[in-house]
């Protein structure tokens, strides 16, 4: 520290950390593609008080809220290979579970945690739409599916979008915990580069910069989309 920062390493490692962005984005996109429809459907079960599914959703959300994501990672990373190994042995499938790319575990963990967050996001957003609009849509001959697609969802999305943006940014930051599964994302790549000369301060600065840039771009994209969605708010006002 007394010799100051190694600026050459700082610049070089910035690009090393940047090379982890595609993995971070891939995990984020896959987790969202799974969590968005699943979270929406489970939110509907909460709103409509569907007996078993409502009970399941409540426990699921409570579990995710009450456990750190790093613990969820360790549970999945330890239990899934064990379950798969037993399954493969039982059906004589010649696959070594320990050769499976850790990105598949990342898809499971981050989809699992993001779905729970989005259940509450959609539940609160759908609750802001007047129930009379669904009844009005049904009275003019629209099915429930058509009413949700054309009337309810566009309005709920306007309300939900800021929280979906926050959930996405939090998801991107949470992927930094993927190093626990040896996932080749931003944090792991920078830390491995730092191990050679113990330039951890420079590596952490690079990680900080890459996440700031990435999250700012994502937030900007969401703001543009939110602005586009606002026309539904004006129509319904």
């Amino acid at each position: 520290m007394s010799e100051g920062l190694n600026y050459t390493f700082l610049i070089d490692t910035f690009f090393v950390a940047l090379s982890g962005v595609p993995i971070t984005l891939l995990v984020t996109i896959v987790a969202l593609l799974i969590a968005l429809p699943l979270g929406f459907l489970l939110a509907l079960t909460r709103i409509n008080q569907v007996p078993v599914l409502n009970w399941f959703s409540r426990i699921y959300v409570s579990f995710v809220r009450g456990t750190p994501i790093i613990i969820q990672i360790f549970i999945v990373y330890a239990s899934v290979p064990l379950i798969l190994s037993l399954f493969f042995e039982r059906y004589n499938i010649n696959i070594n579970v320990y050769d499976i790319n850790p990105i598949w575990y990342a898809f499971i963990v981050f989809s699992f945690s993001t779905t729970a967050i989005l259940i509450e996001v959609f539940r609160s957003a759908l609750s802001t739409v007047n129930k009379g609009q669904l009844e009005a849509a049904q009275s003019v001959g629209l099915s429930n599916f058509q009413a949700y697609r054309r009337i309810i969802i566009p309005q709920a999305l306007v309300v939900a979008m800021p929280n979906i943006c926050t959930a996405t940014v939090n998801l991107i930051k949470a992927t930094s915990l993927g190093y626990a599964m040896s996932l080749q994302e931003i944090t792991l790549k920078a830390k491995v580069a730092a191990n050679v000369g113990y330039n951890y301060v420079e590596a952490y600065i690079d990680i900080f910069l890459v996440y700031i840039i990435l999250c700012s771009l994502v937030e900007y994209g969401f703001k543009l989309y939110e602005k586009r969605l606002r026309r539904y708010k004006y129509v319904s006002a």
Side-chain angles (χ1 to χ4, degrees), residues 25-35 107 111:
L25 287 179
L26 178 62
V27 172
T28 302
I29 290 169
V30 171
L32 285 175
L33 286 175
I34 295 170
F107 291 155
S111 301

Side-chain angles (χ1 to χ4, degrees), residues 63-132:
F63 174 77
V64 173
R65 278 179 172 172
T67 54
I69 195 164
I70 189 70
I71 299 301
Q72 296 167 23
I73 287 172
F74 288 142
I75 290 173
V76 170
Y77 203 46
S79 62
V80 171
L82 190 62
I83 295 168
L84 286 177
S85 179
L86 292 172
F87 178 81
F88 291 158
E89 283 181 14
R90 182 179 178 84
Y91 293 99
N92 295 320
I93 300 173
N94 189 22
I95 297 176
N96 186 353
V97 293
Y98 299 103
D99 289 339
I100 295 174
N101 192 315
I103 199 167
W104 292 102
Y105 298 110
F107 291 155
I108 295 171
V109 172
F110 293 113
S111 301
F112 179 78
S113 62
T114 307
T115 298
I117 294 166
L118 292 180
I119 288 172
E120 292 304 284
V121 169
F122 286 128
R123 189 171 71 90
S124 61
L126 288 167
S127 299
T128 63
V129 181
N130 193 323
K131 289 183 179 176

Side-chain angles (χ1 to χ4, degrees), residues 37-53:
L38 202 54
F40 181 78
L41 291 174
L42 290 174
L44 287 178
T45 67
R46 295 288 310 275
I47 290 173
N48 295 306
Q49 299 287 308
V50 178
V52 177
L53 291 176

Side-chain angles (χ1 to χ4, degrees), residues 29-237:
I29 290 169
V30 171
L32 285 175
L33 286 175
I34 295 170
L36 281 168
L38 202 54
F40 181 78
L41 291 174
L42 290 174
L44 287 178
T45 67
R46 295 288 310 275
I47 290 173
N48 295 306
Q49 299 287 308
V50 178
V52 177
L53 291 176
N54 179 37
W55 173 79
F56 167 78
S57 300
R58 289 167 70 98
I59 293 177
Y60 174 33
V61 171
S62 297
F63 174 77
V64 173
R65 278 179 172 172
T67 54
I69 195 164
I70 189 70
I71 299 301
Q72 296 167 23
I73 287 172
F74 288 142
I75 290 173
V76 170
Y77 203 46
S79 62
V80 171
L82 190 62
I83 295 168
L84 286 177
S85 179
L86 292 172
F87 178 81
F88 291 158
E89 283 181 14
R90 182 179 178 84
Y91 293 99
N92 295 320
I93 300 173
N94 189 22
I95 297 176
N96 186 353
V97 293
Y98 299 103
D99 289 339
I100 295 174
N101 192 315
I103 199 167
W104 292 102
Y105 298 110
F107 291 155
I108 295 171
V109 172
F110 293 113
S111 301
F112 179 78
S113 62
T114 307
T115 298
I117 294 166
L118 292 180
I119 288 172
E120 292 304 284
V121 169
F122 286 128
R123 189 171 71 90
S124 61
L126 288 167
S127 299
T128 63
V129 181
N130 193 323
K131 289 183 179 176
Q133 295 195 36
L134 179 60
E135 294 168 359
Q138 290 169 335
S139 69
V140 296
L142 294 180
S143 64
N144 280 347
F145 176 77
Q146 290 171 325
Y148 269 96
R149 186 172 66 84
R150 296 182 184 180
I151 300 170
I152 309 295
I153 291 176
Q155 293 179 68
L157 266 182
V158 178
V159 178
M161 199 50 65
N163 289 329
I164 294 175
C165 175
T166 302
T168 304
V169 170
N170 287 338
L171 173 59
I172 290 172
K173 291 185 289 186
T175 59
S176 65
L177 295 172
Y179 76 87
M181 298 180 283
S182 302
L183 186 68
Q184 295 292 318
E185 45 69 57
I186 297 165
T187 305
L188 183 62
K189 281 181 174 277
K191 287 185 75 173
V192 168
N195 285 343
V196 179
Y198 298 101
N199 300 108
Y200 292 109
V201 174
E202 290 87 344
Y204 291 138
I205 292 173
D206 286 325
I207 293 167
F208 169 80
L209 291 174
V210 171
Y211 274 109
I212 279 285
I213 294 169
L214 185 58
C215 291
S216 298
L217 288 173
V218 169
E219 280 189 45
Y220 180 70
F222 267 97
K223 280 183 181 176
L224 289 180
Y225 188 57
E226 190 182 339
K227 190 176 178 181
R228 187 180 172 190
L229 280 175
R230 277 182 190 154
R231 68 178 188 266
Y232 293 108
K233 190 174 184 179
Y234 299 141
V235 168
S236 63

